Amino acid sequence: MWLERISGETAELITRDDAKAHLRLLEDDFDAEVSAAIASAVAFLDVDDDGFGGLGFPLTRQVWAVKAPRFSDDVLRLPFGRVTSVEKVGFISPDGASETVPSSDYRLTRQGRASVVALLSGKSWPAVADAPDAVSIHFAAGFADAASVPADIKAALRLLIGHFFENRLAVVMSGVPQDLKIGVDALTARYRRFAA
């Protein structure tokens, strides 16, 4: 099973002017450094290009595909929190044709914080080809846009921006200090996906 981003990208969640106000910078001398600190902070909380890390979901809406060799609990339990919709459930039939499961055969459900594609009563998953990517579930996850990202996540981003700006040279060697991680975790814990 693996993930592939279909559309969407990391959004600018904190503007440079917002970050400069947080850092109490009045001039434009450090704009490049501020922009780099913003990018580092967002990368710390957002998923990477392979769908790992951060808070465990894209911060703003992105469409991803999870691919697997068959319909199984592993692939039907979607890997991100904050899943908002299933765009399509595709499969490769035994004869090699690419097909789509009718949306009337399944629905998106919740099991704790997990999102699961559940087959409706009386329906069955189709037979699939013997291929590593025989099943492909396209789904959308994340907040609708940058304006919809909650204030506490943005507060965590500002803490990280301050750290990455003030420690531009030391970050590579020392990483994020434990006390800062504790503060960021306190602000973002309720959004993280826990084992269900």
Side-chain angles (χ1 to χ4, degrees):
M1 185 176 83
W2 72 94
L3 282 168
E4 179 182 317
R5 188 183 349 233
I6 304 300
S7 65
E9 57 188 32
T10 300
E12 182 179 274
L13 301 176
I14 302 288
T15 65
R16 190 166 57 202
D17 287 342
D18 183 343
K20 286 172 67 174
H22 173 72
L23 297 168
R24 299 177 187 229
L25 296 174
L26 301 175
E27 297 166 3
D28 300 333
D29 296 347
F30 295 100
D31 281 2
E33 291 87 348
V34 171
S35 294
I38 293 168
S40 295
V42 171
F44 190 86
L45 292 184
D46 207 352
V47 293
D48 65 16
D49 289 338
D50 295 318
F52 295 103
L55 296 179
F57 61 90
L59 294 178
T60 55
R61 187 181 189 279
Q62 296 176 11
V63 176
W64 288 74
V66 60
K67 298 185 177 192
R70 64 188 167 283
F71 289 101
S72 67
D73 290 344
D74 288 341
V75 71
L76 297 171
R77 184 181 176 100
L78 300 177
F80 292 154
R82 302 274 164 202
V83 172
T84 55
S85 65
V86 173
E87 306 290 302
K88 92 174 175 179
V89 176
F91 66 98
I92 301 171
S93 66
D95 64 3
S98 293
E99 300 190 37
T100 302
V101 177
S103 59
S104 57
D105 286 5
Y106 60 87
R107 67 185 177 106
L108 179 65
T109 62
R110 301 275 186 254
Q111 291 177 359
R113 289 192 174 199
S115 296
V116 178
V117 180
L119 196 60
L120 296 177
S121 179
K123 304 293 182 180
S124 61
W125 295 118
V128 299
D130 184 15
D133 60 347
V135 173
S136 177
I137 300 175
H138 293 224
F139 63 95
F143 295 101
D145 52 32
S148 303
V149 174
D152 43 6
I153 292 178
K154 289 183 177 180
L157 285 167
R158 289 184 190 94
L159 288 176
L160 290 163
I161 288 167
H163 170 72
F164 289 127
F165 180 79
E166 294 298 330
N167 300 284
R168 295 184 290 280
L169 298 177
V171 169
V172 174
M173 295 175 62
S174 63
V176 175
Q178 188 63 28
D179 58 341
L180 179 59
K181 285 182 184 175
I182 291 169
V184 168
D185 286 348
L187 287 166
T188 60
R190 70 189 184 117
Y191 301 103
R192 294 179 187 271
R193 178 175 163 180
F194 301 99

